[in-house]
Amino acid sequence: MTKNISLIGPMGAGKSSIGKRLAKQLKQPFFDSDRMIEKKTGVAISTIFELEGEDGFRSRESKALVELLEKDNAVIATGGGIVLAEENQKLLSEKSIIIYLKASVDTQVCRTKYDKKRPLLQTNDRHSTLQALAKKRNPLYESLANITIDTNQQSIAKSIELITNQLNR
């Protein structure tokens, strides 16, 4: 069995954008855990947060991860908070090569400036919110990562080049 490639990291790091292009280059299928949840439920992530709260969403996210990691040789973009649950950490580590796409809080603020869909960013102070999330999640991303790519100052193409170079080692 060939391992899946799971992309982890904060909002705005490029998991979906890089994931799609990386999968195309590697000739592997691409899956996005958030899009899968939306497709299965028929509603936006923000609606799930509204109706079920973050805990309800995290439960759905864990179930989606189990299903996605049953696939073979896929590129999977995960939600930023997927690393919060220990069972998700264990699954990711066992069933995939984990690539941490790293982005600074300033980069995240810039990249998500016009985004109205992310429930955790529906606040007046995105910078503080993203800072708090980074403080909690970045150590988890770092501890899980097989490969870390800093996406702050580079194009998607450059990030993919760095990833494929690391994968081919």
Side-chain angles (χ1 to χ4, degrees):
M1 177 173 135
T2 311
K3 276 199 174 184
N4 294 309
I5 295 170
S6 294
L7 303 175
I8 64 170
M11 292 179 247
K15 298 181 300 287
S16 297
S17 303
I18 290 170
K20 279 179 204 154
R21 300 241 320 250
L22 177 64
K24 192 174 184 178
Q25 185 169 324
L26 297 174
K27 295 175 177 52
Q28 293 177 211
F30 172 74
F31 300 94
D32 182 307
S33 64
D34 285 350
R35 297 304 74 77
M36 180 181 174
I37 293 165
E38 288 178 335
K39 198 172 177 181
K40 278 185 179 281
T41 60
V43 297
I45 299 293
S46 55
T47 304
I48 296 169
F49 264 78
E50 209 174 287
L51 298 174
E52 300 177 4
E54 186 173 353
D55 288 345
F57 171 73
R58 296 290 170 217
S59 172
R60 289 179 181 278
E61 187 177 53
S62 293
K63 288 177 185 141
L65 183 64
V66 168
E67 194 175 321
L68 288 170
L69 289 173
E70 289 303 314
K71 302 199 178 296
D72 192 24
N73 213 22
V75 175
I76 301 164
T78 64
I82 205 148
V83 298
L84 296 172
E86 278 185 38
E87 63 270 19
N88 293 347
Q89 294 173 22
K90 189 173 186 287
L91 266 174
L92 285 163
S93 295
E94 288 172 359
K95 297 192 173 199
S96 63
I97 297 165
I98 302 171
I99 300 174
Y100 168 26
L101 299 181
K102 196 173 184 171
S104 70
V105 170
D106 288 341
T107 297
Q108 290 177 265
V109 168
C110 189
R111 290 180 183 168
T112 62
K113 191 178 351 188
Y114 302 109
D115 193 319
K116 302 273 187 266
K117 293 182 177 175
R118 299 174 198 257
L120 296 177
L121 291 185
Q122 303 318 305
T123 170
N124 291 331
D125 188 357
R126 284 184 173 203
H127 195 276
S128 292
T129 300
L130 290 167
Q131 191 79 49
L133 291 172
K135 188 176 182 188
K136 186 175 187 176
R137 296 176 179 180
N138 287 358
L140 297 172
Y141 298 141
E142 287 167 16
S143 71
L144 290 168
N146 300 112
I147 297 170
T148 299
I149 302 293
D150 186 326
T151 67
N152 284 305
Q153 300 298 321
Q154 62 198 13
S155 67
I156 291 173
K158 183 64 179 169
S159 294
I160 290 170
E161 180 188 326
L162 293 171
I163 292 168
T164 54
N165 288 343
Q166 293 277 332
L167 289 171
N168 290 329
R169 287 188 174 168

